[in-house]
Amino acid sequence: MRGYSFTGRLSEHVDHLSGGWKRRVNIVAAILHRPAMLILDEPTVGVDVDAREALHRLIKKMGIRGMASY
């Protein structure tokens, strides 16, 4: 997700992250292994506006690559 750096959070345990950051971690974990198809149920719930827009752009790009439907 462009614009969101995880490097500053690498030493933090996921349990200590905010809900929005946990959602980001979940999405990264889901796409890390480049699945052929990814089903997302309300992926933008609990994230701020900037992250929501970044997620929508990412999902559109994945759709172009045949991984997701938008």
Coordinates of all heavy atoms in Angstrom, one line a residue:
M1 N 0.8 -1.2 0.0 CA 0.0 0.0 0.0 C 0.9 1.2 0.0 O 1.5 1.6 1.0 CB -0.9 0.0 1.2 CG -1.9 -1.1 1.1 SD -2.9 -1.3 2.6 CE -3.1 0.3 3.3
R2 N 1.0 1.8 -1.1 CA 1.8 3.0 -1.3 C 1.4 4.1 -0.3 O 0.2 4.4 -0.1 CB 1.7 3.5 -2.7 CG 2.6 4.7 -2.9 CD 2.7 5.0 -4.4 NE 3.5 4.0 -4.9 CZ 3.7 3.8 -6.2 NH1 3.2 4.6 -7.1 NH2 4.5 2.8 -6.7
G3 N 2.3 4.8 0.3 CA 2.0 5.9 1.2 C 2.0 5.5 2.7 O 1.9 6.3 3.5
Y4 N 2.0 4.2 2.9 CA 1.9 3.7 4.3 C 3.1 2.8 4.5 O 3.3 1.8 3.9 CB 0.6 2.9 4.5 CG -0.5 3.8 4.6 CD1 -1.3 4.1 3.5 CD2 -0.9 4.4 5.8 CE1 -2.3 5.0 3.6 CE2 -1.9 5.2 5.9 CZ -2.7 5.5 4.8 OH -3.7 6.4 4.9
S5 N 4.0 3.3 5.4 CA 5.2 2.6 5.7 C 5.1 1.7 6.9 O 4.7 2.1 8.0 CB 6.4 3.6 6.0 OG 7.5 2.9 6.4
F6 N 5.3 0.4 6.7 CA 5.3 -0.5 7.8 C 6.6 -0.6 8.5 O 6.7 -1.1 9.6 CB 4.9 -1.9 7.2 CG 3.5 -2.1 6.8 CD1 3.1 -1.7 5.5 CD2 2.5 -2.5 7.7 CE1 1.8 -1.8 5.2 CE2 1.2 -2.6 7.3 CZ 0.8 -2.3 6.1
T7 N 7.6 0.0 8.0 CA 9.0 -0.1 8.6 C 9.0 0.5 10.0 O 9.7 0.0 10.8 CB 10.1 0.6 7.7 OG1 9.7 1.9 7.5 CG2 10.2 -0.2 6.4
G8 N 8.3 1.5 10.2 CA 8.2 2.1 11.6 C 7.5 1.3 12.6 O 7.5 1.6 13.8
R9 N 6.8 0.3 12.1 CA 6.0 -0.5 13.0 C 6.5 -2.0 13.1 O 5.8 -2.8 13.7 CB 4.5 -0.6 12.5 CG 3.9 0.8 12.2 CD 2.9 1.0 13.3 NE 2.3 2.3 13.1 CZ 1.6 2.9 14.0 NH1 1.5 2.3 15.1 NH2 1.1 4.1 13.8
L10 N 7.6 -2.3 12.5 CA 8.1 -3.6 12.5 C 8.4 -4.3 13.8 O 8.2 -5.5 14.0 CB 9.4 -3.7 11.6 CG 9.2 -3.5 10.1 CD1 10.5 -3.5 9.4 CD2 8.3 -4.6 9.5
S11 N 8.7 -3.4 14.8 CA 9.0 -4.0 16.1 C 7.8 -4.1 17.0 O 7.8 -4.7 18.1 CB 10.0 -3.1 16.9 OG 9.5 -1.8 17.1
E12 N 6.6 -3.6 16.5 CA 5.4 -3.7 17.3 C 4.7 -5.0 17.1 O 4.6 -5.5 15.9 CB 4.5 -2.5 16.9 CG 5.0 -1.2 17.3 CD 4.0 -0.1 17.0 OE1 2.8 -0.2 17.4 OE2 4.5 0.9 16.4
H13 N 4.1 -5.6 18.1 CA 3.3 -6.8 18.0 C 1.9 -6.4 17.5 O 1.4 -5.3 17.8 CB 3.2 -7.4 19.4 CG 2.7 -8.8 19.3 ND1 1.3 -9.1 19.2 CD2 3.3 -10.0 19.3 CE1 1.2 -10.4 19.1 NE2 2.4 -11.0 19.1
V14 N 1.4 -7.2 16.6 CA 0.1 -6.9 16.0 C -1.0 -6.6 17.0 O -1.8 -5.7 16.8 CB -0.4 -8.0 15.0 CG1 -1.7 -7.7 14.5 CG2 0.6 -8.2 13.9
D15 N -1.0 -7.3 18.2 CA -2.0 -7.0 19.2 C -2.0 -5.6 19.7 O -2.9 -5.1 20.3 CB -1.8 -8.0 20.4 CG -2.1 -9.4 20.0 OD1 -2.8 -9.6 19.0 OD2 -1.7 -10.3 20.8
H16 N -0.8 -4.9 19.6 CA -0.7 -3.6 20.1 C -1.0 -2.5 19.1 O -1.0 -1.3 19.4 CB 0.7 -3.3 20.7 CG 1.0 -4.2 21.8 ND1 2.1 -5.0 21.8 CD2 0.3 -4.6 22.9 CE1 2.1 -5.7 22.9 NE2 1.0 -5.5 23.6
L17 N -1.4 -2.9 17.9 CA -1.7 -1.9 16.8 C -3.1 -1.5 16.9 O -4.0 -2.2 17.4 CB -1.4 -2.6 15.4 CG 0.0 -2.9 15.1 CD1 0.1 -3.7 13.8 CD2 0.9 -1.7 15.1
S18 N -3.4 -0.3 16.3 CA -4.8 0.1 16.2 C -5.6 -0.8 15.2 O -5.0 -1.5 14.5 CB -4.8 1.6 15.7 OG -4.4 1.6 14.3
G19 N -6.9 -0.6 15.3 CA -7.7 -1.4 14.4 C -7.4 -1.2 12.9 O -7.4 -2.1 12.1
G20 N -7.1 0.0 12.5 CA -6.8 0.3 11.1 C -5.5 -0.3 10.7 O -5.4 -0.8 9.6
W21 N -4.5 -0.3 11.6 CA -3.2 -0.9 11.3 C -3.4 -2.4 11.2 O -2.7 -3.1 10.4 CB -2.1 -0.5 12.2 CG -1.5 0.8 11.8 CD1 -1.8 2.0 12.3 CD2 -0.6 1.0 10.7 NE1 -1.0 3.0 11.6 CE2 -0.3 2.4 10.7 CE3 0.0 0.1 9.8 CZ2 0.6 2.9 9.7 CZ3 0.9 0.7 8.9 CH2 1.2 2.0 8.9
K22 N -4.2 -3.0 12.1 CA -4.4 -4.4 12.0 C -5.1 -4.8 10.7 O -4.7 -5.9 10.1 CB -5.3 -4.9 13.2 CG -4.6 -4.9 14.5 CD -5.6 -5.3 15.6 CE -4.9 -5.2 17.0 NZ -5.8 -5.6 18.1
R23 N -6.0 -4.0 10.2 CA -6.6 -4.3 8.9 C -5.6 -4.2 7.8 O -5.6 -5.1 6.9 CB -7.7 -3.2 8.7 CG -8.3 -3.3 7.3 CD -9.1 -4.5 7.1 NE -10.4 -4.4 7.9 CZ -11.3 -5.3 7.9 NH1 -11.3 -6.3 7.2 NH2 -12.4 -5.1 8.7
R24 N -4.6 -3.3 7.9 CA -3.6 -3.2 6.9 C -2.7 -4.5 6.9 O -2.4 -5.1 5.9 CB -2.7 -2.0 7.1 CG -3.4 -0.7 6.8 CD -2.5 0.5 7.2 NE -3.1 1.7 7.0 CZ -3.6 2.5 8.0 NH1 -3.5 2.1 9.2 NH2 -4.1 3.6 7.7
V25 N -2.4 -4.9 8.1 CA -1.6 -6.1 8.3 C -2.3 -7.3 7.7 O -1.7 -8.2 7.0 CB -1.2 -6.4 9.7 CG1 -0.5 -7.7 9.9 CG2 -0.2 -5.3 10.2
N26 N -3.6 -7.4 7.9 CA -4.4 -8.6 7.4 C -4.4 -8.6 5.9 O -4.2 -9.6 5.3 CB -5.8 -8.5 7.9 CG -6.0 -8.8 9.3 OD1 -5.2 -9.5 9.9 ND2 -7.0 -8.3 10.0
I27 N -4.5 -7.4 5.3 CA -4.5 -7.3 3.8 C -3.2 -7.7 3.2 O -3.1 -8.4 2.3 CB -5.1 -6.0 3.4 CG1 -6.5 -5.9 3.7 CG2 -4.8 -5.8 1.9 CD1 -7.1 -4.5 3.5
V28 N -2.1 -7.2 3.8 CA -0.8 -7.5 3.4 C -0.5 -9.0 3.5 O 0.0 -9.6 2.6 CB 0.3 -6.7 4.2 CG1 1.7 -7.2 3.9 CG2 0.2 -5.2 3.8
A29 N -0.9 -9.6 4.6 CA -0.7 -11.0 4.8 C -1.5 -11.8 3.7 O -1.1 -12.8 3.2 CB -1.2 -11.4 6.2
A30 N -2.7 -11.3 3.3 CA -3.5 -12.0 2.4 C -2.9 -11.9 1.0 O -3.1 -12.9 0.2 CB -4.9 -11.4 2.4
I31 N -2.3 -10.8 0.6 CA -1.8 -10.7 -0.8 C -0.3 -11.0 -0.9 O 0.2 -11.1 -2.0 CB -2.0 -9.3 -1.3 CG1 -1.3 -8.2 -0.6 CG2 -3.5 -9.0 -1.4 CD1 -1.4 -6.8 -1.1
L32 N 0.4 -11.2 0.2 CA 1.8 -11.5 0.2 C 2.2 -12.7 -0.7 O 3.2 -12.6 -1.4 CB 2.3 -11.7 1.7 CG 3.8 -11.7 1.9 CD1 4.5 -10.4 1.4 CD2 4.1 -12.0 3.3
H33 N 1.5 -13.7 -0.6 CA 1.8 -14.9 -1.4 C 1.2 -14.9 -2.8 O 1.2 -15.9 -3.5 CB 1.4 -16.2 -0.6 CG 0.0 -16.3 -0.4 ND1 -0.8 -15.6 0.5 CD2 -0.9 -17.1 -1.0 CE1 -2.0 -16.0 0.4 NE2 -2.2 -16.9 -0.5
R34 N 0.7 -13.8 -3.2 CA 0.1 -13.6 -4.5 C -0.9 -14.7 -4.9 O -0.7 -15.4 -5.9 CB 1.2 -13.5 -5.6 CG 2.1 -12.4 -5.3 CD 3.2 -12.3 -6.4 NE 4.3 -11.4 -6.1 CZ 4.3 -10.2 -6.6 NH1 3.5 -9.8 -7.5 NH2 5.3 -9.4 -6.2
P35 N -2.0 -14.8 -4.2 CA -3.0 -15.8 -4.5 C -3.6 -15.5 -5.9 O -3.6 -14.4 -6.4 CB -4.1 -15.6 -3.4 CG -3.9 -14.2 -3.0 CD -2.5 -13.9 -3.2
A36 N -4.1 -16.6 -6.5 CA -4.8 -16.4 -7.8 C -6.1 -15.6 -7.7 O -6.5 -14.9 -8.6 CB -5.1 -17.8 -8.4
M37 N -6.7 -15.8 -6.6 CA -8.0 -15.1 -6.3 C -8.0 -14.6 -4.9 O -7.6 -15.4 -4.0 CB -9.2 -15.9 -6.6 CG -10.5 -15.2 -6.4 SD -12.0 -16.1 -7.0 CE -12.0 -17.4 -5.7
L38 N -8.5 -13.5 -4.6 CA -8.6 -13.0 -3.3 C -10.0 -12.4 -3.0 O -10.6 -11.6 -3.8 CB -7.6 -11.8 -3.1 CG -7.6 -11.2 -1.7 CD1 -7.1 -12.2 -0.6 CD2 -6.6 -10.0 -1.7
I39 N -10.7 -12.9 -2.0 CA -12.0 -12.4 -1.7 C -11.9 -11.6 -0.4 O -11.5 -12.0 0.6 CB -13.0 -13.6 -1.4 CG1 -13.1 -14.5 -2.7 CG2 -14.4 -13.1 -1.0 CD1 -13.8 -15.8 -2.5
L40 N -12.3 -10.3 -0.5 CA -12.3 -9.4 0.6 C -13.7 -9.0 1.0 O -14.5 -8.6 0.2 CB -11.5 -8.1 0.2 CG -10.1 -8.4 -0.3 CD1 -9.5 -7.1 -0.9 CD2 -9.2 -8.8 0.9
D41 N -14.0 -9.1 2.3 CA -15.3 -8.7 2.8 C -15.1 -7.5 3.6 O -14.5 -7.5 4.7 CB -15.8 -9.9 3.7 CG -17.2 -9.5 4.2 OD1 -17.9 -8.7 3.6 OD2 -17.5 -10.1 5.3
E42 N -15.6 -6.4 3.1 CA -15.5 -5.0 3.7 C -14.0 -4.7 4.1 O -13.8 -4.5 5.3 CB -16.4 -5.0 4.9 CG -17.9 -5.2 4.5 CD -18.8 -5.0 5.7 OE1 -18.5 -4.3 6.6 OE2 -19.9 -5.6 5.6
P43 N -13.1 -4.7 3.2 CA -11.7 -4.4 3.5 C -11.4 -3.0 4.1 O -10.3 -2.9 4.7 CB -11.0 -4.7 2.2 CG -12.0 -4.3 1.2 CD -13.3 -4.8 1.7
T44 N -12.3 -2.1 3.9 CA -12.0 -0.7 4.3 C -12.6 -0.4 5.6 O -12.5 0.8 6.1 CB -12.4 0.3 3.3 OG1 -13.8 0.2 3.0 CG2 -11.6 0.1 2.0
V45 N -13.3 -1.3 6.3 CA -13.9 -1.0 7.6 C -12.8 -0.8 8.6 O -11.9 -1.6 8.7 CB -14.8 -2.2 8.0 CG1 -15.3 -2.0 9.5 CG2 -16.0 -2.3 7.1
G46 N -12.9 0.3 9.3 CA -12.0 0.6 10.4 C -10.7 1.3 10.0 O -9.8 1.4 10.8
V47 N -10.6 1.7 8.7 CA -9.4 2.4 8.3 C -9.7 3.9 8.0 O -10.8 4.2 7.7 CB -8.7 1.7 7.1 CG1 -8.2 0.3 7.4 CG2 -9.6 1.7 5.9
D48 N -8.7 4.7 8.1 CA -8.9 6.1 7.8 C -9.1 6.4 6.3 O -8.9 5.5 5.5 CB -7.8 7.0 8.4 CG -6.4 6.6 7.8 OD1 -6.3 6.8 6.5 OD2 -5.6 6.1 8.5
V49 N -9.5 7.6 6.0 CA -9.9 8.0 4.6 C -8.7 7.7 3.6 O -8.9 7.2 2.6 CB -10.4 9.4 4.5 CG1 -10.6 9.8 3.1 CG2 -11.6 9.6 5.3
D50 N -7.5 8.1 4.0 CA -6.3 8.0 3.1 C -6.1 6.5 2.9 O -5.8 6.1 1.8 CB -5.1 8.6 3.7 CG -5.2 10.1 3.8 OD1 -5.9 10.7 2.9 OD2 -4.6 10.7 4.7
A51 N -6.1 5.7 3.9 CA -5.9 4.2 3.8 C -7.0 3.6 2.9 O -6.8 2.7 2.1 CB -5.8 3.5 5.1
R52 N -8.2 4.1 3.1 CA -9.4 3.6 2.3 C -9.1 3.8 0.8 O -9.3 2.9 0.0 CB -10.7 4.3 2.8 CG -11.9 3.7 2.1 CD -13.2 4.3 2.7 NE -13.3 3.9 4.1 CZ -13.5 4.8 5.1 NH1 -13.7 6.1 4.9 NH2 -13.6 4.3 6.3
E53 N -8.7 5.0 0.5 CA -8.5 5.4 -0.9 C -7.3 4.5 -1.5 O -7.4 4.0 -2.6 CB -8.2 6.9 -1.0 CG -9.4 7.7 -0.8 CD -9.1 9.2 -0.8 OE1 -7.9 9.6 -1.0 OE2 -10.0 10.0 -0.5
A54 N -6.3 4.3 -0.6 CA -5.1 3.5 -1.1 C -5.6 2.1 -1.3 O -5.2 1.4 -2.3 CB -4.0 3.6 0.0
L55 N -6.5 1.6 -0.4 CA -7.0 0.2 -0.6 C -7.8 0.1 -1.9 O -7.7 -0.9 -2.6 CB -7.8 -0.2 0.6 CG -7.1 -0.7 1.8 CD1 -8.0 -0.8 3.0 CD2 -6.4 -2.0 1.5
H56 N -8.6 1.0 -2.1 CA -9.4 1.0 -3.4 C -8.5 1.0 -4.6 O -8.8 0.2 -5.6 CB -10.4 2.2 -3.4 CG -11.6 2.0 -2.5 ND1 -12.6 1.1 -2.7 CD2 -11.9 2.6 -1.4 CE1 -13.5 1.1 -1.8 NE2 -13.1 2.0 -0.9
R57 N -7.5 1.8 -4.6 CA -6.5 1.8 -5.7 C -5.9 0.4 -5.9 O -5.7 -0.1 -7.0 CB -5.5 2.9 -5.6 CG -6.0 4.3 -5.8 CD -4.9 5.3 -5.9 NE -4.0 5.3 -4.7 CZ -4.2 6.1 -3.6 NH1 -5.3 6.9 -3.6 NH2 -3.4 6.1 -2.6
L58 N -5.4 -0.1 -4.7 CA -4.8 -1.5 -4.7 C -5.7 -2.5 -5.3 O -5.3 -3.4 -6.1 CB -4.3 -1.8 -3.3 CG -3.7 -3.2 -3.2 CD1 -2.4 -3.3 -3.9 CD2 -3.5 -3.5 -1.7
I59 N -7.0 -2.5 -4.8 CA -8.0 -3.5 -5.3 C -8.2 -3.4 -6.8 O -8.3 -4.4 -7.5 CB -9.3 -3.4 -4.5 CG1 -9.0 -3.8 -3.0 CG2 -10.4 -4.2 -5.1 CD1 -10.1 -3.4 -2.0
K60 N -8.3 -2.1 -7.3 CA -8.4 -2.0 -8.7 C -7.3 -2.5 -9.5 O -7.4 -3.2 -10.5 CB -8.6 -0.5 -9.0 CG -10.0 0.1 -8.7 CD -10.1 1.5 -9.0 CE -11.5 2.1 -8.6 NZ -11.6 3.5 -8.9
K61 N -6.0 -2.3 -9.0 CA -4.9 -2.8 -9.6 C -4.9 -4.4 -9.6 O -4.5 -5.0 -10.6 CB -3.6 -2.3 -9.0 CG -3.3 -0.9 -9.3 CD -2.0 -0.4 -8.6 CE -1.7 1.0 -8.9 NZ -0.5 1.5 -8.2
M62 N -5.3 -4.9 -8.5 CA -5.4 -6.4 -8.4 C -6.4 -6.9 -9.4 O -6.3 -8.0 -10.0 CB -5.7 -6.8 -7.0 CG -4.6 -6.6 -6.0 SD -4.8 -7.2 -4.3 CE -6.4 -6.9 -3.9
G63 N -7.5 -6.2 -9.6 CA -8.5 -6.6 -10.5 C -8.0 -6.6 -11.9 O -8.3 -7.5 -12.7
I64 N -7.2 -5.6 -12.3 CA -6.6 -5.5 -13.6 C -5.8 -6.8 -13.8 O -5.7 -7.3 -15.0 CB -5.8 -4.2 -13.8 CG1 -6.7 -3.0 -13.8 CG2 -4.9 -4.3 -15.0 CD1 -6.1 -1.7 -13.7
R65 N -5.1 -7.2 -12.8 CA -4.2 -8.4 -12.9 C -5.1 -9.7 -12.8 O -4.5 -10.8 -12.8 CB -3.2 -8.3 -11.8 CG -2.2 -7.2 -12.0 CD -1.2 -7.1 -10.9 NE -0.4 -5.9 -11.1 CZ 0.0 -5.1 -10.2 NH1 -0.3 -5.4 -8.9 NH2 0.8 -4.1 -10.5
G66 N -6.4 -9.6 -12.6 CA -7.2 -10.8 -12.5 C -7.3 -11.4 -11.1 O -7.9 -12.5 -11.0
M67 N -6.8 -10.7 -10.1 CA -6.9 -11.3 -8.8 C -8.1 -10.9 -8.0 O -8.5 -11.6 -7.1 CB -5.6 -10.8 -8.0 CG -5.6 -11.4 -6.6 SD -4.4 -10.6 -5.5 CE -2.9 -11.2 -6.0
A68 N -8.7 -9.8 -8.3 CA -9.9 -9.3 -7.5 C -10.9 -8.7 -8.5 O -10.6 -8.3 -9.6 CB -9.4 -8.2 -6.5
S69 N -12.1 -8.6 -8.0 CA -13.2 -8.0 -8.7 C -13.6 -6.8 -7.9 O -13.8 -6.9 -6.7 CB -14.3 -9.0 -8.9 OG -15.4 -8.3 -9.5
Y70 N -13.8 -5.7 -8.6 CA -14.2 -4.5 -7.9 C -15.6 -4.0 -8.2 O -16.0 -4.1 -9.3 CB -13.2 -3.3 -8.3 CG -13.3 -2.1 -7.4 CD1 -12.7 -2.1 -6.2 CD2 -14.0 -1.0 -7.9 CE1 -12.8 -1.0 -5.4 CE2 -14.1 0.1 -7.1 CZ -13.5 0.1 -5.9 OH -13.6 1.3 -5.1

